[in-house]
Amino acid sequence: MVDFDFGRRLKELRLQAGLTQKQLASRIGVTTSVVSFYELRERTPSPEVLAKLSAIFHVSTDYLLGIEKDRTINVSGLDDDDIKIIAQMVEQLRRKNKRTKQGE
């Protein structure tokens, strides 16, 4: 079963990006109240708005909708060396988090 909590996920992404509801609304072409309704799960975005949100936050629409549980990193526009550096950083963070959890 899909955990459809689009509103929670949208709010988390918006806050992580340092955007207000008004700023996000302006970027996707809706009113501030519509963004609020999305976050409160009172409205669902159109496919066009969903695609805009996906591009703004660099996540898949499946992630926004709760279909995909894992957040991915969009590496388009980066060269192979940059992607290699990111992959190494991710692996180091995984090892650090594993050690932290084992020490709890």
Side-chain angles (χ1 to χ4, degrees), residues 8-10 14 22 25 27 34 36 40 45-46 60 64-66 68 73 78-79 83 87 89 103-104:
R8 178 188 55 77
R9 202 161 268 188
L10 176 62
R14 177 179 62 77
K22 183 177 182 178
R27 291 181 71 177
V34 169
S36 177
L40 295 171
S46 68
S60 69
L64 282 171
L65 294 173
E68 176 66 41
I73 299 172
L78 300 179
D79 64 27
I83 294 170
M89 290 174 62
E104 290 180 353

Side-chain angles (χ1 to χ4, degrees), residues 2 9 12 27 29 32 36 42-45 56 62 75-76 78-79 82 92:
V2 175
R9 202 161 268 188
E12 285 175 1
R27 291 181 71 177
T32 304
S36 177
E42 294 178 8
R43 289 183 72 176
T44 305
I56 288 167
D62 284 353
V75 295
S76 60
L78 300 179
D79 64 27
D82 294 340
Q92 287 177 344

Side-chain angles (χ1 to χ4, degrees), residues 21-40:
Q21 287 182 341
K22 183 177 182 178
Q23 291 169 324
L24 181 58
S26 175
R27 291 181 71 177
I28 61 175
V30 300
T31 64
T32 304
S33 62
V34 169
V35 172
S36 177
F37 287 144
Y38 291 159
E39 291 182 1
L40 295 171

Side-chain angles (χ1 to χ4, degrees), residues 14-101:
R14 177 179 62 77
L15 293 174
Q16 288 172 1
L19 295 172
T20 64
Q21 287 182 341
K22 183 177 182 178
Q23 291 169 324
L24 181 58
S26 175
R27 291 181 71 177
I28 61 175
V30 300
T31 64
T32 304
S33 62
V34 169
V35 172
S36 177
F37 287 144
Y38 291 159
E39 291 182 1
L40 295 171
R41 300 169 59 185
E42 294 178 8
R43 289 183 72 176
T44 305
S46 68
E48 293 81 15
V49 169
L50 192 60
K52 288 179 184 180
L53 291 168
S54 175
I56 288 167
F57 297 121
H58 305 288
V59 296
S60 69
T61 54
D62 284 353
Y63 178 79
L64 282 171
L65 294 173
I67 296 167
E68 176 66 41
K69 300 290 184 211
D70 296 326
R71 185 171 175 182
T72 59
I73 299 172
N74 181 345
V75 295
S76 60
L78 300 179
D79 64 27
D80 289 341
D81 289 337
D82 294 340
I83 294 170
K84 185 177 178 181
I85 291 168
I86 291 170
Q88 290 170 344
M89 290 174 62
V90 167
E91 188 54 38
Q92 287 177 344
L93 291 169
R94 282 191 183 120
R95 285 194 299 267
K96 177 189 75 88
N97 289 336
K98 185 177 179 181
R99 286 190 306 268
T100 300
K101 287 182 181 180

